[in-house]
Amino acid sequence: MEKADLKKEKLEYGIGIRHLQMFCMGLNMITLFIVRSSMGVAVLAMTDISRRRDSKVEIYDWDKKTQGLILSSFFWGYMVMQIPAGLLSKKFGGKLVILVALVVNGFVCGLLPSIVSIGGWQIVCVCRMLMGLTQACLFPASHTLLGKWLPAHERTSYTGLVYGGCQLGIVIAMPVSGLLAATDLGWKLIFYGISALMFVEAFIWHFFAASSPGEHRLITYKEREYIESDLNSGGPSNLRTPWLNILKTRGFWGTLAGHIGSSVVYMLFFVDMPTYLEKGLQISLTSSAFLSALPYIGMVVGNVVSSFLCEKMYNKGVFRLVTLRRLFNSIGVAGVTVGLLALSFAKSDSKTLAVGMLTVTLSLCGFVSAGFMMSHLDLSPNYGGVMLSVTNCITSAGAVAIPITNSFILRNDPTDVGRWRVVFFGTAVVGVVCNVLYVLLVSADRQEWDDPNYLDKQKADPEERQPALNSKEFEMKQLERR
């Protein structure tokens, strides 16, 4: 068989167990992001003075600073556990650590309504911190799984679909949480409903997912060979991580810069958006459920469309992979910058226009999923999850500070659109600076230290060392061997 025919056969491999794995991973993203994003609505319901006379619902007198502490407390645990979570995912496999996260979050959400009246906002912070500790594994473990389950020419599109679950979780959480908060049980029903959802997803994940193709009981030998022939992942899971080589890699620092910029922008929308919509623009999350979720629907669309478009352009040879990463990341940042500047001048009597601008802004923000988010895996499919845990740890420090900083800028008055303007301007500047650094430093070549046996080879004779291949070179080498 000719090389071209082999490559065509490789690219046209049909539906298989890897698609079931991606579906389960997408469900993880949806459910665990419902946990994260529902708190923005829940804390508003827990402090809703209009229901103070309702004997069925406890209402608490927490000011904006206290609410900021509650919202940021998730990231206290999230930040601390990032790097350990990446290492645990590499050692024990992504399936187990995510399963633990699902079960723990289920128990915590189920218990929280019963203990908040005893411990007040402090116990809510403790619960949120515990959720953050366990959810720290989500992205590192998912990146580790993606590196094991997807060949290079499928990686961008399916990664976009999996991570599109983040925004889809927000789309579901915001309006549904608002509706649940309006029931007789009030905000408590938000946590009870999420608890049940966590246990259902834990059941699905346990029975239908695996840490690698070789561990899945339903996969065929042919599909396993198709996946693993494109990956250099033959070493055991307990090999040493080449930390020094990672830190010496220029592309890693570019990826970190892109991650920081995206995180600052994303946290603004993720944590403070419910407050901005409800207090700044007077858009009720209960009465305008679809309108408030529309921006995040746009982000899902932007995420998925950009991922498939980027992969198609790469497979057709339109641009080099590194050029595509720079292009799509820059489109995302440029869209966010223009959108934030426009939003800073939005009027409270132009609600539909403001939501329209938010929708366009977040739709373009979704393009970064084909940018920096893929760069960890471009550099190293084997250690992509570990690298993501490092960049996530650093960006999580900012995530802790952002809600608190914004609450000080707003001075406990979230209805002041002028102060929201300061928040938007500052966020736009950080995003642009970080994108410039990303464009200058990023690389899309697979690094030589991605080889699981790289550290051992460094001790061998120089003649025995082989240079690393990038994704396309590695693929062509496999075809030549056949």
Side-chain angles (χ1 to χ4, degrees), residues 387-410:
M387 286 194 293
L388 181 59
S389 71
V390 176
T391 60
N392 234 5
C393 177
I394 295 170
T395 57
S396 295
V400 171
I402 287 169
I404 299 172
T405 302
N406 290 346
S407 68
F408 278 106
I409 293 174
L410 296 170

Side-chain angles (χ1 to χ4, degrees), residues 141-153:
S142 295
H143 248 44
T144 298
L145 290 167
L146 290 166
K148 289 181 177 293
W149 274 92
L150 295 175
H153 58 270

Side-chain angles (χ1 to χ4, degrees), residues 221-234:
Y221 175 79
K222 185 177 180 182
E223 184 181 7
R224 177 181 173 182
E225 183 182 33
Y226 161 75
I227 296 169
E228 294 182 344
S229 66
D230 189 54
L231 304 174
N232 189 17
S233 57

Side-chain angles (χ1 to χ4, degrees), residues 69 156 279 355 393 422:
L69 286 171
T156 301
K279 303 296 184 182
V355 173
C393 177
V422 176

Side-chain angles (χ1 to χ4, degrees), residues 307-368:
S307 297
F308 275 89
L309 181 61
C310 179
E311 185 171 283
K312 197 168 190 65
M313 293 172 72
Y314 168 64
N315 287 334
K316 285 182 175 292
V318 177
F319 292 115
R320 292 189 307 145
L321 186 57
V322 68
T323 303
L324 290 169
R325 298 291 182 239
R326 291 167 176 157
L327 174 64
F328 280 86
N329 207 77
S330 297
I331 290 173
V333 172
V336 168
T337 301
V338 173
L340 286 174
L341 294 177
L343 280 168
S344 66
F345 294 99
K347 304 295 183 182
S348 58
D349 58 350
S350 304
K351 298 175 184 177
T352 303
L353 178 61
V355 173
M357 288 190 291
L358 277 172
T359 303
V360 174
T361 300
L362 284 179
S363 297
L364 291 173
C365 184
F367 276 57
V368 300

